[in-house]
Amino acid sequence: LAEAHGSWVLVNDRLDVAMAAGVTGAQLTSRSLGVADARRVHPDIVLGASVHEPAGAWLAAGAGADFVVAGHVYATESHPGSTGRGEAFLRELVGAAGDCPVIAIGGITPERAAGVRAAGAHGIAAIRGIWFGDAPGAVRRYLAAHDHAAFA
């Protein structure tokens, strides 16, 4: 189904499961196999890496990550009591990542898409805004906001 629609399927945290399932790739977390080791195991799979500071983005990009997920940018229920790192953090991380695309996550709403795109993020990720919303309508709002910010 993903191939028919030009989509990717990524497995969170588990390179072995991604390989066994034959999906596009894996999103590695701070508890996962490192990017360099994952590249040695499977040189051709798409690899993302979750990062939380500019040095992590620089290291992941240098180790061969295809993209990094930077978070959390804004306050989110996933990190109670934290205000989020903000758009200045995101700009710094984008600079450290070099040519490696950065995806912003954490408190992302359609209204915040323009700010994260202006900070240099290649894309946005949302979980609660889609999962707990009216999924088809929410996806359309996120995509429209992302595309509008990209061409504004």
Side-chain angles (χ1 to χ4, degrees):
L1 188 59
E3 287 177 11
H5 294 282
S7 299
W8 287 3
V9 175
L10 302 174
V11 173
N12 189 54
D13 188 37
R14 297 286 306 269
L15 178 63
D16 57 337
V17 173
M19 291 170 57
V23 300
T24 310
Q27 169 63 30
L28 305 174
T29 71
S30 60
R31 295 176 301 277
S32 303
L33 187 64
V35 173
D37 291 330
R39 272 283 165 242
R40 281 192 285 281
V41 171
H42 196 318
D44 301 321
I45 200 164
V46 172
L47 291 175
S50 296
V51 297
H52 305 287
E53 70 277 333
W58 183 81
L59 289 169
D66 293 297
F67 64 93
V68 296
V69 177
H72 60 286
V73 178
Y74 302 104
T76 173
E77 292 179 41
S78 300
H79 300 278
S82 177
T83 59
R85 294 176 171 95
E87 292 172 16
F89 148 80
L90 188 56
R91 273 190 290 284
E92 188 178 352
L93 196 140
V94 166
D99 293 334
C100 189
V102 174
I103 309 299
I105 194 169
I108 305 297
T109 63
E111 297 76 22
R112 291 174 169 160
V116 297
R117 294 286 295 179
H122 182 80
I124 57 176
I127 299 169
R128 290 176 192 278
I130 293 171
W131 193 266
F132 296 113
D134 66 324
V139 169
R140 283 191 285 281
R141 285 189 295 281
Y142 274 94
L143 289 172
H146 175 271
D147 291 349
H148 181 267
F151 297 108

